[in-house]
Amino acid sequence: MPQTLYDTDFYRWTQQQAALLQAEEFEELDLPNLIEEIEAMGRRDRRELTNRLLVLLMHLLKWGYQPNIHGHAQPKSWRNTIRTQRNRIEIVLMDSPSLRRELPTYIAYVYPRACKGASEETGLPVAIFPATCLYTLEQILDLDWLPG
């Protein structure tokens, strides 16, 4: 099977495809690979958003359900992680605002996984966390909101 530019030099292939689009030389486009890459870009944004929501929810749960560790306040790293995830979620949503309407579905999907992760990291039983996410979308995305 002969190798194409797509197979041998992906960056050069992307530049070539962009040049062909700009020149409106549509018949020269590598449509099968171009379609595949465009679809992959959408999946990448969705995957990044769900990964960031998972980490964010896990840290919100840890913050809310394990407020003191050995008599000390929650670690600053938790607050930093919460803020970082919120900022990065907002960046993804700025680039792909249509994903905002999918957030409730993504939250419902990652929440049980966040509970399991928070349980594993804190040693708290997973049953301590509510079966469904009690945080509102506004709370989850609010840069200043913390549980408790």
Side-chain angles (χ1 to χ4, degrees), residues 47-65:
R47 189 170 38 251
E48 180 175 355
L49 188 57
T50 57
N51 286 339
R52 297 209 177 276
L53 281 169
L54 174 63
V55 173
L56 174 57
L57 288 174
M58 202 166 77
H59 277 75
L60 290 174
L61 288 167
K62 291 187 328 185
W63 188 280
Y65 287 87

Side-chain angles (χ1 to χ4, degrees), residues 97-105:
S98 64
L99 285 174
R100 187 175 293 274
R101 70 176 175 260
E102 303 297 329
L103 286 175
T105 301

Side-chain angles (χ1 to χ4, degrees), residues 13-28:
W13 175 84
T14 64
Q15 301 311 294
Q16 177 193 62
Q17 296 305 296
L20 291 170
L21 284 167
Q22 286 177 329
E24 297 182 13
E25 295 181 25
F26 304 123
E27 65 284 348
E28 298 297 318

Side-chain angles (χ1 to χ4, degrees), residues 35-131:
I35 291 166
E36 180 180 325
E37 290 304 321
I38 290 172
E39 289 172 343
M41 287 174 10
R43 287 190 303 271
R44 183 183 64 229
D45 282 357
R46 185 180 66 214
R47 189 170 38 251
E48 180 175 355
L49 188 57
T50 57
N51 286 339
R52 297 209 177 276
L53 281 169
L54 174 63
V55 173
L56 174 57
L57 288 174
M58 202 166 77
H59 277 75
L60 290 174
L61 288 167
K62 291 187 328 185
W63 188 280
Y65 287 87
Q66 190 178 19
N68 294 305
I69 299 173
H70 310 296
H72 298 93
Q74 299 91 336
K76 287 184 182 180
S77 65
W78 290 5
R79 181 184 289 267
N80 290 339
T81 297
I82 289 168
R83 179 165 285 122
T84 297
Q85 296 310 312
R86 285 175 168 157
N87 285 331
R88 292 189 176 160
I89 287 168
E90 195 55 41
I91 289 168
V92 171
L93 293 175
M94 282 175 27
D95 286 341
S96 299
S98 64
L99 285 174
R100 187 175 293 274
R101 70 176 175 260
E102 303 297 329
L103 286 175
T105 301
Y106 298 159
I107 290 167
Y109 174 76
V110 301
Y111 180 75
R113 291 154 181 81
C115 292
K116 185 170 172 54
S119 172
E120 290 171 358
E121 288 191 15
T122 62
L124 295 170
V126 75
I128 199 169
F129 305 114

Side-chain angles (χ1 to χ4, degrees), residues 128-142:
I128 199 169
F129 305 114
T132 59
C133 185
L134 301 181
Y135 311 139
T136 66
L137 180 56
E138 292 74 24
Q139 290 171 326
I140 292 168
L141 298 179
D142 184 332

